[in-house]
Amino acid sequence: MSLAVRARRVVLPDGVHPAAVHTRDGRITAVKPFDDAPSGAVTLADDEVLLPGLVDSHVHVNEPGRTEWEGFASATRAAVAGGVTTVVDMPLNSVPATTTVEALHGKRAAARGQVACDVAFWGGAVPGNLDQLRPLHEAGVVGFKCFLLDSGVPEFPPLDDAGLRAALTELAGVDGLLIAHAEDAEVIAAAPAPAGASYAAFLASRPPAAEESAIAGLVAAVRDTGARAHVVHLADADALPLLRRARADGVAITVETCPHYLTFAAEEIPEGATAFKCCPPIRETWHREALWVALADGDVDLVVSDHSPCTPDLKRLDVGDFGLAWGGIASLQVGLPVVWTGARARGIGLAEVARWMAAAPARLAGLPGKGTIAPGKDADLVAFAPDESWTVGALEHRHPVTPYTGRRVTGVVRRTWLRGQLADGTPRGRLLRRGQS
């Protein structure tokens, strides 16, 4: 099967150009001048841009075990509706967590035949599973997630410093990647407990120092072990100088942030609006703006959703209590328009957005066939209308609770192709292994 798509604006690795993208059997075979296309080529409208399919390397699908929270079918339908052609599933909050090879096989069995986009998998690093890290690595997980404090679910306990260093040492031997939820439990224990409808009180319960302390410990452990690590969902801009110095010194550490940290600000969150609760929390305006600057300067590497849905009752919208509500934001389908809305307001182009949301996550996850429009890559493509505005309403996620509801955003995904086929929600996605191209 062959497909050719041409557009006056195509986001390529070297910038935005008119081009015709030729594909066969699901792979890009050539990128040619706009006029060099067969008669049956799909020609995008003048208001559309052709983007590479996005790669979201931070998605909590929650199946098996908590499928009522999301599930592979609904999550991947939401993904392709939002221009995401590859998701990487987190090892929690499913039951069992992906901390053994047997659990990984269970994840793959649950996903098989359901996925509308391609799916890869993270493994988990928890106390007691050190002997599972190499087998999981060999079985194709893209890397290993750990928590440095309570994860919120009992089946995924945190690593202490000794456990962190043991995992990093084990992974250094196979050039494996450890990704960390970096907040310091002791700092949080010393802060006031969250309770009630006050967002300010919730914010005070997860102070910036918790991120900085945990990241400092992670940097030290990576430096000492020679391993590779990645900081997930950075919210605290005060941690950026620490990360910048570590990287300048050759420490192999990367960092991501998320659309909600780039969009919302603590000062704007209404009392009792528990749809906004996530950990680490959405911080004040200056943190948001500093994260945008860090992205532009290359100090933050990528933007991914941290799509972490739950059933509506767990968000405690009935009482608006930030102490009781589950912390997580559902955003998989809206990440591209949300980030693009913020980027264009700051004079940042689509090429940069595609780098942060497609190329960089693909590189992090070790998926060489994904993330850019270039010969040899999978024919994952998105027709995106960057000037069309819309109001976030009903989405493909299993549950409707998201802080983006009612928000006006700019940029519409009009069509998505997965490996050269129109992605319409049909379960034709593949289950990927690390290094698969």
Side-chain angles (χ1 to χ4, degrees):
M1 190 187 74
S2 62
L3 168 77
V5 183
R6 64 179 185 169
R8 293 293 179 185
R9 292 176 289 171
V10 180
V11 176
L12 300 172
D14 65 343
V16 181
H17 307 284
V21 180
H22 295 243
T23 82
R24 179 173 294 278
D25 298 330
R27 293 289 180 94
I28 297 171
T29 56
V31 178
K32 298 184 177 181
F34 177 85
D35 292 328
D36 190 350
S39 59
V42 175
T43 301
L44 298 196
D46 288 343
D47 68 336
E48 294 177 334
V49 179
L50 189 66
L51 299 175
L54 303 190
V55 177
D56 193 334
S57 58
H58 195 147
V59 177
H60 294 269
V61 175
N62 307 326
E63 186 175 5
R66 290 191 176 95
T67 309
E68 70 275 13
W69 291 19
E70 184 63 276
F72 284 105
S74 54
T76 57
R77 284 197 304 269
V80 296
V84 177
T85 51
T86 306
V87 303
V88 189
D89 173 55
M90 283 288 165
L92 74 162
N93 302 302
S94 56
V95 181
T98 317
T99 55
T100 66
V101 173
E102 181 181 8
L104 175 64
H105 291 332
K107 271 280 184 97
R108 285 177 167 155
R112 195 166 290 116
Q114 290 203 76
V115 296
C117 69
D118 288 352
V119 178
F121 300 90
W122 293 102
V126 297
N129 86 324
L130 191 64
D131 64 342
Q132 289 291 309
L133 301 188
R134 289 196 183 215
L136 279 164
H137 180 82
E138 292 166 0
V141 299
V142 304
F144 295 86
K145 173 74 174 290
C146 76
F147 272 71
L148 303 182
L149 81 169
D150 181 21
S151 71
V153 293
E155 62 276 359
F156 206 90
L159 295 177
D160 60 15
D161 187 64
L164 171 66
R165 287 170 178 266
L168 286 168
T169 299
E170 183 75 3
L171 293 176
V174 292
D175 194 30
L177 174 67
L178 187 76
I179 68 173
H181 181 125
E183 289 182 283
D184 188 308
E186 292 186 5
V187 173
I188 290 174
S198 169
Y199 187 78
F202 169 63
L203 187 61
S205 76
R206 318 282 296 211
E211 289 189 74
E212 293 152 38
S213 176
I215 290 170
L218 178 63
V219 166
V222 173
R223 190 190 304 273
D224 291 345
T225 59
R228 294 191 295 131
H230 176 76
V231 176
V232 298
H233 50 49
L234 182 72
D236 170 33
D238 277 333
L240 288 166
L242 167 65
L243 287 162
R244 192 181 300 117
R245 288 193 300 270
R247 287 147 65 110
D249 290 343
V251 177
I253 192 163
T254 51
V255 59
E256 69 189 40
T257 194
C258 303
H260 39 279
Y261 302 129
L262 298 170
T263 301
F264 303 118
E267 302 94 326
E268 303 164 359
I269 296 176
E271 300 295 276
T274 52
F276 289 85
K277 181 179 177 180
C278 58
C279 298
I282 296 162
R283 303 198 185 277
E284 296 87 350
T285 301
W286 83 264
H287 287 276
R288 179 185 68 194
E289 297 309 315
L291 289 171
W292 276 108
V293 172
L295 276 165
D297 290 346
D299 290 326
V300 173
D301 300 279
L302 55 140
V303 181
V304 287
S305 70
D306 189 12
H307 178 70
S308 186
C310 64
T311 54
D313 59 298
L314 292 177
K315 290 302 275 186
R316 299 310 307 263
L317 301 172
D318 54 338
V319 294
D321 190 319
F322 282 98
L324 298 176
W326 174 261
I329 288 179
S331 60
L332 177 56
Q333 186 174 337
V334 297
L336 175 58
V338 162
V339 173
W340 170 236
T341 300
R344 68 182 274 157
R346 293 165 176 83
I348 299 168
L350 274 170
E352 288 81 5
V353 172
R355 184 172 70 250
W356 301 332
M357 302 187 76
R363 185 165 55 251
L364 177 81
L367 299 173
K370 303 294 185 179
T372 57
I373 297 175
K377 302 286 188 176
D378 285 353
D380 296 348
L381 305 168
V382 177
F384 184 63
D387 301 318
E388 183 177 344
S389 295
W390 58 289
T391 301
V392 178
L395 301 170
E396 294 288 341
H397 308 152
R398 184 179 294 275
H399 300 294
V401 179
T402 175
Y404 294 104
T405 298
R407 190 172 186 90
R408 193 77 177 164
V409 295
T410 301
V412 173
V413 174
R414 290 187 177 161
R415 280 176 288 182
T416 301
W417 291 270
L418 174 67
R419 285 176 281 101
Q421 290 185 278
L422 196 63
D424 56 4
T426 302
R428 59 170 64 99
R430 294 178 179 172
L431 307 183
L432 305 178
R433 297 168 59 96
R434 183 196 68 263
Q436 187 170 338
S437 60

